[in-house]
Amino acid sequence: MKLKVEPLNPAAFAPFGEVISTATARDEYKINLGTTTRFHDISRVDVGDEGGIPIISIFRGTPRPMPIEIKMMERHPLGSQAFVPLSGQKFLIVVAEGSDTPALEDLRAFISDGTQGVTYAKNVWHHPLLALEPESDFLIVDRSGPGNNLNEIDLPMVDDTPVTLDWPQT
Ligand SMILES: NC(=O)N[C@@H](O)C(=O)O
Ligand code: NI
């Protein structure tokens, strides 16, 4: 099965979480004597269940071998997880609707233009980081704390072939 890669946009991504960009701030105003613009309250961090705390990490991602195969998904039942590219790099996002076992038809794929990050809402199925450009860093905001915050699942194959991607025509 080939999964169509869509340009990332807030409306399309809304069932899965939030797009993080200067265009998606809930408010925007000047601070610091007008020298800085605050893009305020872009995305929410939802990590407090079962005593979780928010932490900031950096993931240094390297591209997956091409053609990228989508063989598994994961979710974090106790917290959201945010990815922000730190050097304007594009990256791939694969998510699935619903909180039950994801079926292939529930999968959606998006590509960030490099100015956009994402927050996966708590318990949303997603593929672990899919970097597309040579070794690039991502700021991560997610949860540290007790309890199991990771479910993983293998995806079915069709005719012994894993899900691959149908990239937009450039
Ligand atoms: N394993 C880990 O911390 N990262 C994943 O959750 C991911 O979504 O990349
Ligand atoms: Ni994750």
Side-chain angles (χ1 to χ4, degrees):
M1 173 186 139
K2 274 195 171 291
L3 183 56
K4 185 174 183 317
V5 180
E6 309 166 56
L8 181 62
N9 76 78
F13 194 73
F16 312 104
E18 297 172 304
V19 172
I20 299 171
S21 76
T22 53
T24 53
R26 290 176 175 81
D27 197 355
E28 172 186 330
Y29 46 89
K30 290 292 187 189
I31 57 174
N32 304 343
L33 302 176
T35 63
T36 304
T37 301
R38 179 177 173 123
F39 296 94
H40 178 74
D41 194 2
I42 293 177
S43 187
R44 304 290 168 83
V45 182
D46 175 9
V47 297
D49 287 0
E50 298 184 18
I53 60 166
I55 59 169
I56 292 175
S57 308
I58 285 178
F59 285 10
R60 181 157 291 166
T62 54
R64 302 279 176 139
M66 289 291 185
I68 293 174
E69 296 179 343
I70 306 298
K71 295 181 174 177
M72 61 77 68
M73 297 284 273
E74 67 167 31
R75 66 182 177 184
H76 307 297
L78 299 178
S80 58
Q81 186 174 48
F83 292 75
V84 180
L86 292 179
S87 42
Q89 72 271 24
K90 293 180 170 56
F91 70 106
L92 183 65
I93 296 124
V94 176
V95 287
E97 296 253 16
S99 58
D100 299 325
T101 304
L104 295 187
E105 56 268 18
D106 298 326
L107 296 176
R108 298 278 295 279
F110 299 94
I111 186 165
S112 160
D113 65 10
T115 70
Q116 303 161 306
V118 291
T119 293
Y120 300 126
K122 180 168 63 183
N123 214 38
V124 165
W125 288 108
H126 59 280
H127 192 284
L129 178 62
L130 290 161
L132 296 173
E133 299 185 15
E135 195 172 89
S136 48
D137 290 354
F138 296 78
L139 185 87
I140 312 300
V141 182
D142 60 6
R143 179 186 179 275
S144 176
N148 174 39
N149 193 30
L150 176 62
N151 301 148
E152 294 174 301
I153 193 160
D154 289 331
L155 291 174
M157 299 221 268
V158 176
D159 301 333
D160 293 331
T161 307
V163 173
T164 53
L165 299 160
D166 179 13
W167 297 92
Q169 301 311 312
T170 47

